[in-house]
Amino acid sequence: EPELTRPILLKLYETEESLVVRAEVPGFTEKELNIVCEPWRVVITGKKEIREEGKVERKEEIPFYAEKTHIYKTVKLPVEIRPEHVKAHLRNGMLELTMPKAEVVKKVKIDVKPL
């Protein structure tokens, strides 16, 4: 449901040697994010709890405003990666995962010769 999880804006790029995921996770810290990498997919989850205390006028009142935010995103990868070599960086609310491909396929030009 939309109110239970917040959407993650995400882009997947491919280079010759790796896949790169850039995901917007504003407001989350490194400790609040959990990333699980498998050879064919990546799962990004996060849990954040915000508590702010308001002015209490009566002794029996409880401070107000507590909010929990969850994010969850599964990304199916177009090529197999090496999960043990994935690097993750978080800066200004942007998470970047660099995932080396399992086997870098090099392009080979084949010359056609007459028989």
Side-chain angles (χ1 to χ4, degrees), residues 81-96:
I81 63 162
R82 295 185 295 168
E84 63 277 1
H85 296 290
V86 172
K87 293 183 181 176
H89 300 282
L90 180 65
R91 183 175 181 198
N92 297 330
M94 183 65 72
L95 173 66
E96 182 171 294

Side-chain angles (χ1 to χ4, degrees), residues 30-64:
E30 295 88 353
K31 292 179 182 180
E32 296 166 334
L33 293 172
N34 185 36
I35 301 161
V36 177
C37 292
E38 298 172 7
W40 290 98
R41 74 177 185 158
V42 174
V43 179
I44 302 169
T45 58
K47 182 179 175 185
K48 182 177 188 71
E49 191 169 333
I50 301 169
R51 291 186 180 272
E52 290 188 20
E53 295 184 12
K55 202 177 219 182
V56 178
E57 294 182 14
R58 295 185 206 146
K59 195 167 188 152
E60 67 273 7
E61 291 179 347
I62 299 172
F64 66 94

Side-chain angles (χ1 to χ4, degrees), residues 7-114:
I8 298 176
L9 300 175
L10 182 137
K11 289 187 180 181
L12 175 65
Y13 301 93
E14 183 176 8
T15 67
E16 238 180 82
E17 298 174 356
S18 63
L19 295 177
V20 178
V21 168
R22 290 193 183 114
E24 292 182 18
V25 290
F28 283 85
T29 65
E30 295 88 353
K31 292 179 182 180
E32 296 166 334
L33 293 172
N34 185 36
I35 301 161
V36 177
C37 292
E38 298 172 7
W40 290 98
R41 74 177 185 158
V42 174
V43 179
I44 302 169
T45 58
K47 182 179 175 185
K48 182 177 188 71
E49 191 169 333
I50 301 169
R51 291 186 180 272
E52 290 188 20
E53 295 184 12
K55 202 177 219 182
V56 178
E57 294 182 14
R58 295 185 206 146
K59 195 167 188 152
E60 67 273 7
E61 291 179 347
I62 299 172
F64 66 94
Y65 190 72
E67 182 178 318
K68 289 184 181 181
T69 302
H70 297 272
I71 57 173
Y72 178 87
K73 185 71 172 183
T74 300
V75 181
K76 186 176 178 185
L77 303 173
V79 296
E80 187 176 353
I81 63 162
R82 295 185 295 168
E84 63 277 1
H85 296 290
V86 172
K87 293 183 181 176
H89 300 282
L90 180 65
R91 183 175 181 198
N92 297 330
M94 183 65 72
L95 173 66
E96 182 171 294
L97 303 174
T98 304
M99 305 170 287
K101 293 179 184 177
E103 290 185 34
V104 177
V105 179
K106 297 193 180 195
K107 296 178 183 176
V108 177
K109 185 175 182 322
I110 307 296
D111 293 326
V112 179
K113 297 179 182 176

